[in-house]
Amino acid sequence: MSAERVTLETSEDAVLGGRLRLRQPLRGHRVGHDAILLAAFTDAQAGQHAVDFGAGVGGAGLALARRIAGLQATLVEIDPVLAALAGQNAALNGLAERVNAVAADVADAPGLTAAGLAAESVDCVLMNPPFNDPRRQNVSPDPRRRLAHVADPDLLGRWVESAARLLKPEGRLTLIWRAEGLPGVLEVLAPVFGAVSVLPVYPRPGAAAIRVLVRAVKGESAGHQNHAGLVLNGSDGRPTVAAENILRGGEALGPARF
């Protein structure tokens, strides 16, 4: 693995309109809209502790830490090479005092505890789990891209269970998922989470949603609320003002609080 760290080709890219710079592999999964939208929809406050599951090179967790001064964040990534890049990115952006990265399996409770993430110790968890079913979609030959995009059908349940273990009572979980899979997300959340807030993401006016952003509160019993969706591009193909404000301007998405 140390040899891979030396030979891995990376680029340094600006996101959030230059507010964040990320070193990331030239090949494989690269930070895109999903990570920034996830961070924008995550409800957190200064002084709280947020955990980014499946952080990759840290795009979502670092975007959240950049938006919320005083927030502590832990980036959890199973690939040690990407976890190392996430830690480097925290330092690159002057966030190393508030953000640390750990190489661990999200579903490994003892491993998370060893990394300093004890049960009921964090205020919010954000996650962009792999959600492509290898039985229905082509699988990338690149191992890192495959790990980031493809998962078995039970993975979401394991990640949600792990989030529920780490979160304090009334802690908040935020995730992004493919839009057609929302019923399955709600089913997985139901045993532990309530007060579910759903915001669809549309590629253009009149098109079907491609993603859903979901927030939920641990231990709440209330049902779910749907919010007006975000349209990424106008009829002319150009980014909408709302999308630009979020993806480049770093603004929060949706209601500030539940």
Side-chain angles (χ1 to χ4, degrees), residues 169-242:
E170 299 186 357
R172 298 171 305 284
L173 169 64
T174 307
L175 64 90
I176 188 167
W177 198 256
R178 63 182 189 277
E180 67 272 20
L182 177 60
V185 172
L186 298 177
E187 181 179 358
V188 168
L189 292 176
V192 180
F193 292 90
V196 180
S197 181
V198 178
L199 190 149
V201 179
Y202 302 96
R204 60 188 180 278
I210 53 173
R211 297 284 187 271
V212 284
L213 289 152
V214 182
R215 296 190 302 198
V217 180
K218 178 181 174 180
E220 290 286 342
S221 59
H224 79 269
Q225 177 183 5
N226 293 321
H227 296 286
L230 173 70
V231 180
L232 295 177
N233 299 291
S235 300
D236 59 2
R238 297 179 179 179
T240 62
V241 172

Coordinates of all heavy atoms in Angstrom, one line a residue, residues 169-242:
P169 N -29.1 10.5 21.2 CA -30.5 10.7 21.1 C -30.9 12.0 20.4 O -30.3 13.0 20.7 CB -31.0 10.6 22.6 CG -30.0 9.8 23.3 CD -28.6 10.2 22.6
E170 N -31.8 11.9 19.5 CA -32.2 13.1 18.6 C -31.0 13.6 17.7 O -31.1 14.7 17.2 CB -32.7 14.2 19.5 CG -34.0 13.8 20.3 CD -34.6 15.0 21.0 OE1 -34.0 16.1 21.0 OE2 -35.7 14.8 21.6
G171 N -30.0 12.7 17.5 CA -29.0 13.0 16.6 C -29.6 12.9 15.2 O -30.6 12.2 15.0
R172 N -28.9 13.5 14.2 CA -29.5 13.6 12.8 C -28.6 12.8 11.8 O -27.4 12.9 11.8 CB -29.6 15.1 12.4 CG -30.6 15.8 13.4 CD -30.5 17.3 13.1 NE -29.2 17.9 13.2 CZ -28.6 18.2 14.3 NH1 -29.1 17.8 15.5 NH2 -27.4 18.7 14.3
L173 N -29.3 12.1 10.9 CA -28.7 11.4 9.8 C -29.1 12.1 8.5 O -30.3 12.4 8.3 CB -29.1 9.9 9.8 CG -28.8 9.1 8.6 CD1 -27.3 9.0 8.4 CD2 -29.5 7.7 8.7
T174 N -28.1 12.3 7.6 CA -28.4 12.9 6.3 C -27.8 12.0 5.3 O -26.6 11.6 5.4 CB -27.9 14.3 6.2 OG1 -28.3 15.1 7.2 CG2 -28.3 14.9 4.8
L175 N -28.5 11.7 4.2 CA -28.0 10.8 3.2 C -28.5 11.2 1.8 O -29.5 11.9 1.7 CB -28.3 9.3 3.4 CG -29.7 8.9 3.4 CD1 -30.2 8.4 2.0 CD2 -29.9 7.7 4.4
I176 N -27.8 10.8 0.8 CA -28.2 11.0 -0.6 C -28.3 9.7 -1.3 O -27.5 8.8 -1.0 CB -27.3 12.0 -1.4 CG1 -27.8 12.3 -2.8 CG2 -25.9 11.4 -1.5 CD1 -27.1 13.5 -3.4
W177 N -29.4 9.5 -2.1 CA -29.7 8.2 -2.7 C -30.3 8.4 -4.0 O -30.7 9.5 -4.4 CB -30.6 7.4 -1.8 CG -30.7 5.9 -2.0 CD1 -31.7 5.2 -2.6 CD2 -29.8 4.9 -1.6 NE1 -31.5 3.9 -2.6 CE2 -30.2 3.7 -2.0 CE3 -28.5 5.0 -0.9 CZ2 -29.6 2.5 -1.7 CZ3 -27.8 3.8 -0.7 CH2 -28.4 2.6 -1.1
R178 N -30.4 7.3 -4.8 CA -31.0 7.4 -6.1 C -32.5 7.6 -5.9 O -33.1 7.0 -5.0 CB -30.8 6.2 -7.0 CG -31.3 4.9 -6.4 CD -30.9 3.7 -7.3 NE -31.6 2.5 -6.9 CZ -31.1 1.7 -5.9 NH1 -29.9 2.0 -5.3 NH2 -31.8 0.6 -5.6
A179 N -33.2 8.5 -6.7 CA -34.6 8.9 -6.4 C -35.5 7.7 -6.4 O -36.4 7.6 -5.5 CB -35.0 9.9 -7.4
E180 N -35.4 6.7 -7.3 CA -36.3 5.6 -7.4 C -36.2 4.7 -6.2 O -37.1 3.9 -5.9 CB -36.2 4.9 -8.7 CG -34.9 4.1 -8.8 CD -33.8 4.9 -9.4 OE1 -33.8 6.2 -9.4 OE2 -32.8 4.3 -10.0
G181 N -35.1 4.8 -5.4 CA -35.0 4.0 -4.3 C -35.5 4.5 -3.0 O -35.2 4.0 -1.9
L182 N -36.2 5.7 -3.0 CA -36.7 6.3 -1.8 C -37.5 5.4 -0.9 O -37.3 5.4 0.3 CB -37.4 7.6 -2.1 CG -38.1 8.3 -0.9 CD1 -37.0 8.7 0.1 CD2 -38.9 9.5 -1.4
P183 N -38.5 4.6 -1.4 CA -39.3 3.7 -0.6 C -38.4 2.8 0.3 O -38.7 2.6 1.5 CB -40.1 3.0 -1.5 CG -40.3 3.9 -2.7 CD -39.0 4.6 -2.8
G184 N -37.3 2.3 -0.3 CA -36.4 1.4 0.4 C -35.7 2.2 1.5 O -35.5 1.6 2.6
V185 N -35.3 3.4 1.2 CA -34.6 4.2 2.3 C -35.6 4.4 3.5 O -35.2 4.3 4.6 CB -34.2 5.6 1.7 CG1 -33.7 6.5 2.8 CG2 -33.1 5.4 0.6
L186 N -36.8 4.8 3.2 CA -37.8 5.1 4.3 C -38.0 3.8 5.1 O -38.1 3.9 6.3 CB -39.1 5.6 3.7 CG -39.0 6.9 2.9 CD1 -40.4 7.3 2.3 CD2 -38.5 8.0 3.8
E187 N -38.0 2.6 4.4 CA -38.2 1.4 5.1 C -37.0 1.1 6.1 O -37.2 0.6 7.2 CB -38.4 0.3 4.1 CG -38.6 -1.1 4.7 CD -38.8 -2.2 3.7 OE1 -38.7 -1.9 2.5 OE2 -39.0 -3.4 4.1
V188 N -35.8 1.3 5.6 CA -34.6 1.1 6.4 C -34.6 2.0 7.6 O -34.2 1.7 8.7 CB -33.4 1.2 5.6 CG1 -32.1 1.2 6.4 CG2 -33.3 0.1 4.6
L189 N -35.0 3.3 7.4 CA -34.9 4.3 8.5 C -36.0 4.0 9.6 O -35.8 4.4 10.7 CB -35.1 5.7 7.9 CG -34.0 6.2 7.0 CD1 -34.5 7.6 6.4 CD2 -32.7 6.4 7.8
A190 N -37.1 3.5 9.2 CA -38.3 3.5 10.1 C -38.1 2.9 11.5 O -38.6 3.4 12.4 CB -39.5 2.7 9.4
P191 N -37.3 1.8 11.6 CA -37.2 1.3 13.0 C -36.6 2.2 14.0 O -36.9 2.1 15.2 CB -36.3 0.0 12.8 CG -36.5 -0.3 11.4 CD -36.7 1.0 10.7
V192 N -35.7 3.1 13.6 CA -35.0 4.0 14.6 C -35.2 5.4 14.4 O -35.1 6.2 15.3 CB -33.5 3.6 14.5 CG1 -32.7 4.5 15.5 CG2 -33.2 2.1 14.8
F193 N -35.5 5.9 13.1 CA -35.5 7.3 12.8 C -36.9 7.7 12.4 O -37.7 7.0 11.8 CB -34.5 7.5 11.6 CG -33.1 7.4 11.9 CD1 -32.5 6.1 11.7 CD2 -32.3 8.4 12.4 CE1 -31.1 6.0 12.0 CE2 -31.0 8.3 12.7 CZ -30.4 7.0 12.5
G194 N -37.2 9.0 12.7 CA -38.4 9.6 12.3 C -38.2 11.1 11.9 O -37.0 11.5 11.7
A195 N -39.2 11.9 11.9 CA -39.1 13.3 11.4 C -38.3 13.4 10.1 O -37.4 14.2 10.0 CB -38.5 14.2 12.5
V196 N -38.6 12.5 9.2 CA -37.9 12.4 7.9 C -38.2 13.6 7.0 O -39.4 13.9 6.8 CB -38.2 11.1 7.2 CG1 -37.3 10.9 5.9 CG2 -37.9 9.9 8.2
S197 N -37.2 14.2 6.5 CA -37.3 15.3 5.5 C -36.7 14.9 4.2 O -35.5 14.5 4.2 CB -36.6 16.5 6.1 OG -36.7 17.6 5.3
V198 N -37.5 15.0 3.1 CA -37.1 14.5 1.8 C -37.0 15.7 0.8 O -38.0 16.4 0.7 CB -38.0 13.4 1.3 CG1 -37.6 13.0 -0.1 CG2 -38.0 12.3 2.2
L199 N -35.9 15.8 0.1 CA -35.8 16.9 -1.0 C -35.3 16.2 -2.2 O -34.2 15.7 -2.3 CB -34.9 18.0 -0.5 CG -34.8 19.2 -1.4 CD1 -34.5 20.5 -0.5 CD2 -33.8 19.1 -2.5
P200 N -36.1 16.2 -3.3 CA -35.7 15.6 -4.6 C -34.8 16.6 -5.4 O -34.8 17.8 -5.2 CB -37.0 15.3 -5.3 CG -37.9 16.3 -4.8 CD -37.5 16.6 -3.3
V201 N -33.9 16.0 -6.2 CA -33.0 16.7 -7.1 C -33.3 16.4 -8.5 O -33.3 15.2 -8.9 CB -31.5 16.4 -6.8 CG1 -30.6 17.2 -7.7 CG2 -31.2 16.7 -5.3
Y202 N -33.6 17.4 -9.3 CA -34.0 17.2 -10.7 C -32.9 17.7 -11.6 O -32.3 18.8 -11.4 CB -35.3 18.0 -11.0 CG -36.5 17.6 -10.1 CD1 -36.8 18.4 -9.0 CD2 -37.3 16.5 -10.4 CE1 -37.9 18.0 -8.2 CE2 -38.4 16.2 -9.6 CZ -38.6 16.9 -8.5 OH -39.7 16.6 -7.7
P203 N -32.7 17.0 -12.7 CA -31.6 17.5 -13.6 C -32.1 18.8 -14.4 O -31.2 19.6 -14.8 CB -31.4 16.3 -14.6 CG -32.7 15.6 -14.6 CD -33.2 15.7 -13.2
R204 N -33.4 18.9 -14.7 CA -33.9 20.0 -15.5 C -35.4 20.1 -15.3 O -36.0 19.1 -14.8 CB -33.6 19.9 -17.0 CG -34.2 18.6 -17.6 CD -33.7 18.4 -19.0 NE -34.3 17.1 -19.5 CZ -33.8 15.9 -19.3 NH1 -32.7 15.8 -18.5 NH2 -34.4 14.9 -19.8
P205 N -36.1 21.2 -15.6 CA -37.5 21.3 -15.4 C -38.3 20.2 -16.2 O -37.9 19.9 -17.3 CB -37.8 22.7 -16.0 CG -36.6 23.4 -15.9 CD -35.5 22.4 -16.2
G206 N -39.3 19.6 -15.5 CA -40.1 18.6 -16.2 C -39.5 17.2 -16.2 O -40.2 16.2 -16.6
A207 N -38.2 17.0 -15.8 CA -37.6 15.7 -15.8 C -37.9 15.0 -14.4 O -38.2 15.6 -13.4 CB -36.1 15.8 -16.0
A208 N -37.7 13.7 -14.4 CA -37.9 12.9 -13.2 C -36.7 13.2 -12.3 O -35.6 13.5 -12.8 CB -37.9 11.4 -13.5
A209 N -36.9 13.1 -11.0 CA -35.8 13.3 -10.1 C -34.7 12.2 -10.2 O -35.0 11.1 -10.6 CB -36.3 13.3 -8.6
I210 N -33.5 12.6 -10.1 CA -32.4 11.7 -10.2 C -31.8 11.3 -8.8 O -31.1 10.3 -8.7 CB -31.2 12.2 -11.1 CG1 -30.8 13.6 -10.6 CG2 -31.7 12.2 -12.5 CD1 -29.6 14.1 -11.3
R211 N -32.0 12.2 -7.8 CA -31.5 11.9 -6.5 C -32.5 12.4 -5.5 O -33.4 13.2 -5.8 CB -30.2 12.7 -6.2 CG -29.0 12.3 -7.1 CD -28.4 11.0 -6.6 NE -27.2 10.7 -7.4 CZ -27.2 10.0 -8.5 NH1 -28.3 9.6 -9.1 NH2 -26.0 9.8 -9.1
V212 N -32.5 11.8 -4.3 CA -33.2 12.4 -3.1 C -32.2 12.6 -2.0 O -31.3 11.8 -1.7 CB -34.4 11.5 -2.7 CG1 -35.5 11.5 -3.6 CG2 -33.9 10.0 -2.5
L213 N -32.4 13.7 -1.3 CA -31.7 14.0 -0.1 C -32.6 13.8 1.0 O -33.8 14.2 1.0 CB -31.2 15.5 -0.1 CG -30.1 15.8 -1.1 CD1 -30.1 17.2 -1.6 CD2 -28.7 15.4 -0.5
V214 N -32.1 13.0 2.0 CA -33.0 12.6 3.1 C -32.3 12.9 4.5 O -31.2 12.6 4.7 CB -33.3 11.1 3.1 CG1 -34.2 10.7 4.2 CG2 -33.8 10.7 1.7
R215 N -33.1 13.6 5.4 CA -32.6 13.8 6.7 C -33.6 13.2 7.7 O -34.8 13.1 7.4 CB -32.6 15.3 7.0 CG -31.5 16.1 6.2 CD -31.3 17.5 6.7 NE -32.5 18.3 6.7 CZ -32.5 19.6 6.8 NH1 -31.4 20.3 6.9 NH2 -33.6 20.3 6.8
A216 N -33.1 12.7 8.8 CA -34.0 12.0 9.8 C -33.4 12.2 11.2 O -32.2 12.4 11.3 CB -34.1 10.5 9.4
V217 N -34.2 12.1 12.2 CA -33.8 12.3 13.6 C -33.9 10.9 14.3 O -35.0 10.3 14.3 CB -34.7 13.3 14.2 CG1 -34.3 13.5 15.7 CG2 -34.6 14.7 13.5
K218 N -32.9 10.6 15.0 CA -32.9 9.4 15.8 C -33.9 9.5 17.0 O -33.9 10.4 17.7 CB -31.5 9.1 16.4 CG -31.4 7.9 17.2 CD -30.0 7.7 17.8 CE -29.9 6.5 18.8 NZ -28.5 6.3 19.3
G219 N -34.8 8.5 17.1 CA -35.7 8.4 18.2 C -37.0 9.1 18.0 O -37.9 9.0 18.8
E220 N -37.1 9.9 16.9 CA -38.4 10.7 16.7 C -39.4 9.7 16.1 O -39.0 8.7 15.4 CB -38.1 11.8 15.7 CG -37.4 13.0 16.3 CD -38.2 13.8 17.3 OE1 -39.4 13.7 17.2 OE2 -37.6 14.5 18.1
S221 N -40.7 10.0 16.3 CA -41.7 9.1 15.8 C -42.5 9.7 14.7 O -43.4 9.0 14.1 CB -42.6 8.7 17.0 OG -43.2 9.9 17.5
A222 N -42.3 11.0 14.4 CA -43.1 11.7 13.4 C -42.8 11.1 12.0 O -41.8 10.5 11.8 CB -42.9 13.2 13.4
G223 N -43.8 11.3 11.1 CA -43.6 10.8 9.7 C -42.6 11.7 8.9 O -41.8 12.3 9.5
H224 N -42.8 11.7 7.6 CA -41.9 12.4 6.8 C -42.5 13.6 6.0 O -43.7 13.6 5.8 CB -41.1 11.5 5.8 CG -41.9 11.1 4.6 ND1 -42.7 10.0 4.5 CD2 -41.9 11.7 3.3 CE1 -43.2 10.0 3.3 NE2 -42.7 11.0 2.5
Q225 N -41.7 14.6 5.7 CA -42.1 15.8 5.1 C -41.4 16.0 3.8 O -40.1 15.8 3.7 CB -41.9 17.0 6.0 CG -42.2 18.3 5.3 CD -41.9 19.5 6.3 OE1 -41.3 19.3 7.3 NE2 -42.2 20.7 5.9
N226 N -42.1 16.3 2.7 CA -41.5 16.5 1.4 C -41.3 18.0 1.1 O -42.2 18.8 1.4 CB -42.3 15.9 0.3 CG -42.4 14.4 0.3 OD1 -41.5 13.7 0.6 ND2 -43.6 13.9 0.0
H227 N -40.1 18.3 0.6 CA -39.8 19.7 0.3 C -39.7 19.9 -1.2 O -39.5 19.0 -1.9 CB -38.4 20.1 0.9 CG -38.4 20.1 2.4 ND1 -39.0 21.0 3.2 CD2 -37.9 19.2 3.3 CE1 -38.9 20.8 4.5 NE2 -38.1 19.6 4.6
A228 N -39.9 21.2 -1.6 CA -39.8 21.5 -3.0 C -38.4 21.1 -3.4 O -37.4 21.3 -2.7 CB -40.1 23.0 -3.2
G229 N -38.3 20.5 -4.6 CA -37.0 20.0 -5.1 C -36.1 21.1 -5.6 O -36.4 22.2 -5.9
L230 N -34.8 20.7 -5.8 CA -33.8 21.5 -6.4 C -33.7 21.1 -7.9 O -33.5 19.9 -8.2 CB -32.5 21.3 -5.7 CG -31.3 22.0 -6.3 CD1 -31.4 23.5 -6.2 CD2 -30.0 21.5 -5.7
V231 N -33.7 22.1 -8.8 CA -33.5 21.9 -10.2 C -32.1 22.3 -10.5 O -31.8 23.5 -10.3 CB -34.6 22.7 -11.0 CG1 -34.3 22.4 -12.5 CG2 -36.0 22.3 -10.7
L232 N -31.3 21.4 -11.1 CA -29.9 21.7 -11.3 C -29.7 22.6 -12.5 O -28.8 23.5 -12.5 CB -29.1 20.4 -11.5 CG -29.0 19.5 -10.3 CD1 -28.3 18.2 -10.6 CD2 -28.4 20.2 -9.1
N233 N -30.4 22.4 -13.6 CA -30.2 23.1 -14.9 C -31.6 23.7 -15.4 O -32.6 23.0 -15.3 CB -29.6 22.3 -15.9 CG -28.2 21.8 -15.5 OD1 -27.3 22.5 -15.4 ND2 -28.1 20.5 -15.2
G234 N -31.5 24.9 -16.0 CA -32.7 25.4 -16.6 C -33.0 24.8 -17.9 O -32.2 24.0 -18.4
S235 N -34.1 25.3 -18.6 CA -34.4 24.8 -19.9 C -33.4 25.1 -21.0 O -33.3 24.4 -22.0 CB -35.8 25.4 -20.4 OG -36.8 25.0 -19.4
D236 N -32.5 26.1 -20.7 CA -31.5 26.4 -21.6 C -30.2 25.6 -21.4 O -29.2 25.8 -22.1 CB -31.1 27.9 -21.5 CG -30.7 28.3 -20.1 OD1 -30.7 27.5 -19.2 OD2 -30.5 29.5 -19.9
G237 N -30.2 24.7 -20.4 CA -29.1 23.9 -20.1 C -28.1 24.5 -19.2 O -27.1 23.8 -18.8
R238 N -28.3 25.7 -18.8 CA -27.4 26.4 -17.9 C -27.8 26.1 -16.4 O -29.0 25.9 -16.1 CB -27.4 27.9 -18.1 CG -26.9 28.2 -19.5 CD -26.9 29.7 -19.7 NE -26.4 30.1 -21.0 CZ -26.3 31.4 -21.5 NH1 -26.7 32.4 -20.7 NH2 -25.8 31.6 -22.7
P239 N -26.8 26.1 -15.5 CA -27.1 25.9 -14.1 C -28.1 26.9 -13.6 O -28.0 28.1 -13.9 CB -25.8 26.0 -13.4 CG -24.8 25.7 -14.4 CD -25.3 26.2 -15.7
T240 N -29.0 26.5 -12.8 CA -30.0 27.5 -12.2 C -29.2 28.3 -11.1 O -28.2 27.9 -10.6 CB -31.2 26.7 -11.5 OG1 -30.7 25.9 -10.4 CG2 -31.9 25.9 -12.5
V241 N -29.8 29.4 -10.8 CA -29.2 30.3 -9.7 C -29.2 29.5 -8.4 O -28.2 29.6 -7.7 CB -30.1 31.6 -9.6 CG1 -29.6 32.4 -8.4 CG2 -30.0 32.4 -10.8
A242 N -30.2 28.8 -8.1 CA -30.2 28.0 -6.8 C -29.1 27.0 -6.8 O -28.4 26.8 -5.8 CB -31.6 27.3 -6.6

